[in-house]
Each structure stands twice: as C-alpha cells, then as structure tokens.
Amino acid sequence: MQFTNDKQQPINNAETPYYQPIGNEVEVFYKAWENKIPLLLKGPTGTGKSRFVEFIAQKLGKKLITVSCHEETSSTDLIGRFIIKGSETVWIDGPMTRAAREGRILYLDEVAEARPDVVVAIHALTDHRRELFIDKLGESFRAHPDFMLVASFNPGYQKGFKELKPSTRQRFIAISFHYPEEKVEIEIIANESGVGKDVAKKLVAIGQKIRNLTELGLTETVSTRLLIDAGKLIRSGLPPRLSLHVAVVEPLTDDEDTISALKDLCNLMI
Ligand code: ADP
C-alpha cells in the first residue's frame, strides 16, 4: 500500500487493526477524507466494512466514534439530551454532536435501520454548510474541519432490508463491499482465525459453494465473518464438521431441509 501525500503518512503501530484491502477502497477513503466528503459503505454483513473504517481511522491517527444503528436509534440518541443530575438539568452531547465538535470520524453502522429523524440530522451536516442544529438548545454550529461522516448500509437486494432515500444517498460518495476473491479471503481467514492456509482454503471453497446456491433462497449467505468463526473453532480443536455446522449452517437457516442440504455439502468438502 502506498501513501503519497505527506498528510497521509501511514501510522503503523501494534494497534492498527488487520485489514486486507479488497479493491481501491483505501485510496478512495483518503481522497474522501482530504475533501471531507461523506462516505457510504454498501454491502452485506461481514464483508469488512467496520474493520475497514477502524483501520483507516487508525492510519489517519483520527479518533473514531461508532454508532450501531437500529430501529430505535433516534436523532436524540445521536445529537444529545438533557439529563437530571441531582437538582440540576444538564445537557449531554450525543455521539454525532461530539464528533462534529471535536473533529472525529463518525461511523453510523447500518444507518438505514435508524428512525427517519436521524436522516434530517445527517442532511444538515452533509451539505456545504456542515452545520449541526441542536433544536433542544436552540443552537447550531459548524462542524470541526476534521469531522467526517461515514455510514454503512446493507442494500435491499433481498427482502427485509430497509432502503435509504435517494435524497440521503446522494449526499455520499459510495463504495460497494463484496465477498473478497478467493486468494484474499484465504489470507483473511488464516490471519483472523489462526488456521493454516490449507484449512482456510477449504473454508473459502465451502463459502463460495454456498454463495452460489441461490436456489436455497437464503436471506443472507455465508459471510467472511462466519467462515472466520468456523476457523476459530477448528483451531480450538472442535471437529471441523461440527465447527462448520454450528458456525455456518445453523446461523444461516432454520429450515430443516436447507440445514440438511448445507450439512451434506459441508461434510463432503471437509
Ligand atoms: P461488516 O462491518 O461489513 O459487517 P466486519 O468489518 O465486522 O463486517 O467484518 C467481520 C469480520 O470479518 C471482521 O471482524 C474481520 O475479522 C473479518 N474481515 C472481513 N473482511 C476483512 C478484510 N478485508 N480484512 C480483514 N478482516 C476482514
């Protein structure tokens, strides 16, 4: 990996999380950072989006604030709230306000899951004014020059996933994350789980086979994360077939026929 810009000197220390680039995402992030353009990471779960953001933040020497969004996440959770402390009411900044004031990278994981009012807060921060309005304080302020917004979302390529409105999407530049190609995924699994390359290779082959079985109608298919978990169990001494069963087959489906089909496939391949 090369970093040409002085301001982008890589910071290598023991705390830098392991991240194996899968395309040109590192370069794109640096340029987005230079310009402070909000960045959207699209892709199924377990494809390394969160790990990527942790890695880049560490490389840039920037503090990262991560919020895992869910159906109940509201703008109050992100912006802040009054709390009662003894006989006083005090204001507590939420993670978005803190990130904007202090110039942090704010990562809103699974942003589409959050309540619609979160989007309103994002809109104000992602236009050219980069302002955050705190309605409860009647105050607005301009984000610190180092503030950057990164969000992730799981595109609705299958039923059950929430969509992001076009007016929100168009405030971000976007990168798609996919399952890595074979060589890279073997590398990741071996590194993260501690199994040898030979076992990692088998796990990747199983992963690829399952990903191609579209006729099974799985809501989501096997992620790198699940294959890593299988690798960790094998590394700890659990028999390989049982490891695959509990780390890959059972998490993917509850349907008895599908479980049996996946089990047969795994047993055949390991
Ligand atoms: P996402 O945020 O897309 O759901 P994560 O970043 O949490 O996925 O990735 C899940 C796990 O998979 C990580 O903890 C890491 O162990 C592994 N992983 C996936 N992709 C990569 C990669 N490119 N480099 C290193 N580790 C990866």
Side-chain angles (χ1 to χ4, degrees), residues 5-263:
N5 185 319
D6 279 343
K7 283 177 280 179
Q8 296 170 1
Q9 280 304 312
I11 298 164
N12 269 318
N13 60 36
E15 283 166 35
T16 306
Y18 165 73
Y19 180 70
Q20 183 77 45
I22 49 170
N24 47 17
E25 70 276 21
V26 174
E27 191 185 350
V28 172
F29 197 117
Y30 273 108
K31 294 302 171 198
W33 160 258
E34 248 176 67
N35 293 284
K36 302 298 175 308
I37 304 173
L39 179 63
L40 184 65
L41 311 178
K42 308 189 290 178
T45 182
T47 41
K49 301 184 291 299
S50 306
R51 179 62 68 89
F52 170 57
V53 180
E54 287 162 23
F55 166 82
I56 289 281
Q58 185 69 32
K59 285 278 186 199
L60 285 167
K62 286 281 141 204
K63 284 227 171 89
L64 173 69
I65 298 182
T66 297
V67 180
S68 298
C69 299
H70 51 82
E71 294 105 72
E72 300 298 323
T73 308
S74 66
S75 65
T76 302
D77 296 325
L78 296 182
I79 291 174
R81 50 166 51 90
F82 284 107
I83 60 158
I84 298 178
K85 218 173 179 182
S87 58
E88 275 181 84
T89 312
V90 289
W91 172 258
I92 303 284
D93 278 348
M96 182 183 274
T97 308
R98 230 168 354 106
R101 278 196 214 280
E102 297 169 7
R104 312 290 191 216
I105 295 175
L106 176 67
Y107 178 46
L108 299 180
D109 195 9
E110 299 288 354
V111 67
E113 294 294 323
R115 286 208 208 159
D117 62 353
V118 165
V119 165
V120 179
I122 290 177
H123 280 201
L125 262 177
T126 49
D127 66 21
H128 64 283
R129 291 164 300 169
R130 289 172 41 99
E131 273 184 5
L132 182 62
F133 176 61
I134 306 179
D135 59 344
K136 293 195 175 91
L137 295 178
E139 167 197 320
S140 75
F141 70 93
R142 202 175 257 257
H144 186 288
D146 279 357
F147 169 74
M148 180 176 171
L149 178 64
V150 183
S152 78
F153 110 107
N154 200 334
Y157 61 95
Q158 268 158 342
K159 291 183 293 235
F161 291 104
K162 291 190 185 166
E163 268 300 341
L164 265 188
K165 285 200 305 190
S167 56
T168 308
R169 293 177 67 119
Q170 295 213 11
R171 287 161 186 275
F172 293 83
I173 61 166
I175 307 176
S176 270
F177 278 68
H178 304 284
Y179 302 113
E181 60 172 72
E182 185 186 2
K183 222 174 102 215
V184 177
E185 196 166 32
I186 292 172
E187 195 71 39
I188 294 170
I189 292 169
N191 210 297
E192 287 285 293
S193 70
V195 293
K197 289 265 172 73
D198 49 336
V199 175
K201 197 168 177 190
K202 283 187 184 165
L203 293 174
V204 170
I206 291 169
Q208 288 187 338
K209 197 92 187 170
I210 296 175
R211 286 169 196 158
N212 289 331
L213 289 176
T214 44
E215 63 271 25
L216 289 183
L218 298 169
T219 322
E220 270 218 318
T221 188
V222 58
S223 65
T224 307
R225 181 192 282 127
L226 290 183
L227 296 176
I228 291 169
D229 289 344
K232 283 180 179 166
L233 296 177
I234 294 172
R235 172 102 172 85
S236 303
L238 201 67
R241 288 183 176 179
L242 178 55
S243 301
L244 276 161
H245 188 74
V246 295
V248 173
V249 178
E250 293 286 352
L252 287 181
T253 180
D254 301 318
D255 179 78
E256 286 302 330
D257 292 339
T258 314
I259 288 180
S260 149
L262 289 177
K263 191 175 170 182

